[in-house]
Amino acid sequence: MSSARPLTTTSYGILGLLAVRPYSTYELTREMSRSLGRLWPRTVSKLYEEPKKLVAHGLAHSREDTVGKRPRTMYSITPRGRSALRAWLEEPGDGPTLEFEGLVKLLFAEHGTREAALASIARARDWAVEQNQGNIAAGEAFLTKDGRFDSRAPETLLVGAFLTDYYALVARWADWAADQVESWPVDPAERRVDQSEQRAVLRRARWK
Amino acid sequence: MSSARPLTTTSYGILGLLAVRPYSTYELTREMSRSLGRLWPRTVSKLYEEPKKLVAHGLAHSREDTVGKRPRTMYSITPRGRSALRAWLEEPGDGPTLEFEGLVKLLFAEHGTREAALASIARARDWAVEQNQGNIAAGEAFLTKDGRFDSRAPETLLVGAFLTDYYALVARWADWAADQVESWPVDPAERRVDQSEQRAVLRRARWK
DNA sequence: TTCTTCATGTAATTAGTTACATGATTGA
DNA sequence: TCAATCATGTAACTAATTACATGAAGAA
């Protein structure tokens, strides 16, 4: 059993989905764009690999199924899988990790053009708008279905609230940042920091 | 020249630092915890490897130096490095990527205890408080040094504003989430979603 | 003198991505 | 019947991490 590769957060993420209901691999890819992938993004091919690892560990069980004439593999959680999930949930999870290439480019914006900086900012805003679409759609679906009958609604609310405020933050920041950069002189050497904004940011940082 | 491995965002991030001033590898690790690492976190050993790649591409230049009796390698940017950086900056950068294990655990909180959920939330808040420390310190340093004479202050402000609001968001969300979870019955089956909160979140999502 | 932290790196491993391949289903 | 996209996977590669190693400087 323990000869298989160790389980990662990705493994447990998928195990968590299987704890809700059985999934085919393709259905897992849907969840990646809709729910889990927003907090723990992974490429599609991982989703074909990880469930096999769960099976090797005895935490999931695979069954060959067909849709029409096409074969597919359905995965479901085993009792051992449920207790492994329970054990994993007992350990507090890591805080968020941010990777933001656009912001890296802004950090070095003095070596590029003002227009390039604005383009990175615009792209970040577009990203936030796009992510927020799906977010709104999911929220509306929950409300019309009447959340009282969806047993997973309390968890979804915790996640949805974070993502909602996160996307809004990115968009609002982008609007502000675009204003700032538009006020920059074209020549980097002539740029001066907006000191009142600098103080405003520092005030916002003192929330403790 | 182009026989070396292709450059990644990590490569250009380090190149950007070298565009500010020459760095030893150890000084690069400092910047990773202080500035660049907040937006583009990488493990220390990468910082010993990437500059060599920059040198192989002719974008940086290394010089053997000593501190006392100890040898160290100092890296500085070359003219070709500056133009490579400029070219990279012209392409808009990717939007943010979020990875949040604690939130993954909350998504599946019905399979664990309420206390475990609260622990993940508390850890996220602690994380935000800790990150925010360095953030405040950096902001204060800027103000006392009088930002008008720091040519990189406008860029730092863009980045600092994002991080400030981001850390504050995590902390405020954690406080709210803890309230929510504390109101959960111990038995997962009895948990009901707070519908007024659900609507409140949806309203916050409609900003466009 | 001893302990700790600073500072510098290498080697082994792996988690994850990119690229490739292909048959089935559905709608025009 | 043709095109698009749905659906299912494998293989090759690599960016990044973890683990290991070690000497110098400074503090107690």
Side-chain angles (χ1 to χ4, degrees):
Chain A
M1 297 288 172
S2 44
S3 60
R5 300 221 128 162
L7 300 169
T8 63
T9 302
T10 307
S11 318
Y12 285 106
I14 292 174
L15 188 60
L17 289 173
L18 297 183
V20 178
R21 64 172 179 83
Y23 275 91
S24 73
T25 313
Y26 186 71
E27 288 171 325
L28 286 176
T29 69
R30 302 277 87 181
E31 290 303 322
M32 265 295 159
S33 32
R34 287 153 39 55
S35 66
L36 182 60
R38 311 244 165 165
L39 342 170
W40 200 259
R42 287 301 174 265
T43 197
V44 176
S45 75
K46 262 274 123 179
L47 307 181
Y48 283 86
E49 189 184 320
E50 287 290 340
K52 293 180 186 168
K53 203 159 82 178
L54 294 176
V55 171
H57 279 265
L59 308 185
H61 162 251
S62 71
R63 198 169 58 80
E64 298 307 314
D65 189 15
T66 61
V67 188
K69 287 181 187 165
R70 298 190 63 186
R72 71 167 171 188
T73 312
M74 288 294 294
Y75 291 96
S76 44
I77 195 167
T78 63
R80 287 191 53 207
R82 289 197 187 272
S83 62
L85 180 62
R86 215 176 306 128
W88 179 71
L89 287 172
E90 279 311 298
E91 286 295 303
D94 284 346
T97 297
L98 176 72
E99 263 187 20
F100 194 168
E101 191 194 48
L103 202 48
V104 175
K105 295 204 180 194
L106 288 177
L107 184 58
F108 302 123
E110 49 172 335
H111 305 291
T113 64
R114 231 185 44 157
E115 280 58 43
L118 288 170
S120 277
I121 292 168
R123 185 149 161 205
R125 191 185 202 282
D126 290 347
W127 174 90
V129 169
E130 195 189 321
Q131 299 294 310
N132 195 47
Q133 303 291 317
N135 205 41
I136 291 177
E140 282 168 347
F142 258 97
L143 271 184
T144 57
K145 269 195 293 186
D146 191 346
R148 268 173 304 192
F149 301 126
D150 182 336
S151 68
R152 291 187 40 71
E155 287 82 7
T156 307
L157 179 61
L158 296 182
V159 174
F162 183 86
L163 293 178
T164 294
D165 293 344
Y166 178 57
Y167 301 144
L169 160 66
V170 172
R172 273 186 291 115
W173 167 83
D175 290 337
W176 169 85
D179 273 359
Q180 290 285 312
V181 172
E182 270 157 14
S183 79
W184 285 359
V186 172
D187 178 4
E190 285 171 17
R191 290 175 198 161
R192 298 291 176 270
V193 73
D194 183 333
Q195 287 189 68
S196 70
E197 283 296 336
Q198 208 174 30
R199 273 189 292 266
V201 169
L202 187 55
R203 273 196 301 276
R204 292 208 300 280
R206 304 191 200 279
W207 44 264
K208 182 49 187 159
Chain B
M1 295 292 172
S2 46
S3 60
R5 302 219 123 164
L7 300 169
T8 63
T9 301
T10 307
S11 318
Y12 285 106
I14 292 174
L15 188 60
L17 289 174
L18 296 184
V20 178
R21 65 172 178 84
Y23 275 90
S24 75
T25 314
Y26 186 71
E27 288 171 325
L28 287 175
T29 69
R30 301 278 88 180
E31 290 304 322
M32 266 295 158
S33 32
R34 290 154 38 56
S35 65
L36 182 60
R38 310 243 163 166
L39 341 171
W40 199 260
R42 285 302 175 262
T43 197
V44 175
S45 75
K46 263 273 122 182
L47 307 181
Y48 284 87
E49 191 184 319
E50 287 290 340
K52 293 180 186 167
K53 204 160 83 179
L54 294 177
V55 170
H57 279 265
L59 309 185
H61 163 252
S62 70
R63 196 169 59 79
E64 298 308 313
D65 188 16
T66 61
V67 186
K69 286 182 188 165
R70 297 190 63 185
R72 72 168 171 186
T73 313
M74 289 293 295
Y75 291 96
S76 43
I77 195 168
T78 62
R80 287 191 53 205
R82 289 196 188 273
S83 63
L85 180 61
R86 215 175 305 128
W88 179 71
L89 287 171
E90 279 310 299
E91 286 295 303
D94 285 345
T97 298
L98 177 71
E99 265 187 19
F100 195 168
E101 191 194 47
L103 202 49
V104 174
K105 295 205 178 194
L106 289 176
L107 184 58
F108 303 122
E110 50 172 336
H111 305 291
T113 63
R114 230 187 44 158
E115 280 60 41
L118 288 171
S120 277
I121 292 169
R123 185 149 161 206
R125 192 187 202 281
D126 290 347
W127 173 89
V129 170
E130 196 190 319
Q131 300 295 311
N132 196 47
Q133 304 290 316
N135 206 40
I136 291 177
E140 283 168 347
F142 259 96
L143 269 184
T144 58
K145 267 195 292 184
D146 191 345
R148 267 173 304 191
F149 301 127
D150 183 336
S151 69
R152 291 186 42 69
E155 287 82 8
T156 308
L157 180 61
L158 295 183
V159 173
F162 183 87
L163 292 178
T164 293
D165 293 344
Y166 178 58
Y167 300 145
L169 160 66
V170 172
R172 273 186 291 112
W173 167 82
D175 290 337
W176 169 85
D179 273 1
Q180 290 286 310
V181 172
E182 268 156 16
S183 79
W184 284 359
V186 173
D187 179 4
E190 286 171 17
R191 291 176 197 160
R192 298 292 175 270
V193 73
D194 182 333
Q195 288 189 64
S196 71
E197 283 295 337
Q198 208 172 29
R199 273 188 292 266
V201 169
L202 187 55
R203 272 195 302 274
R204 292 208 299 280
R206 303 192 201 278
W207 42 265
K208 183 49 187 160

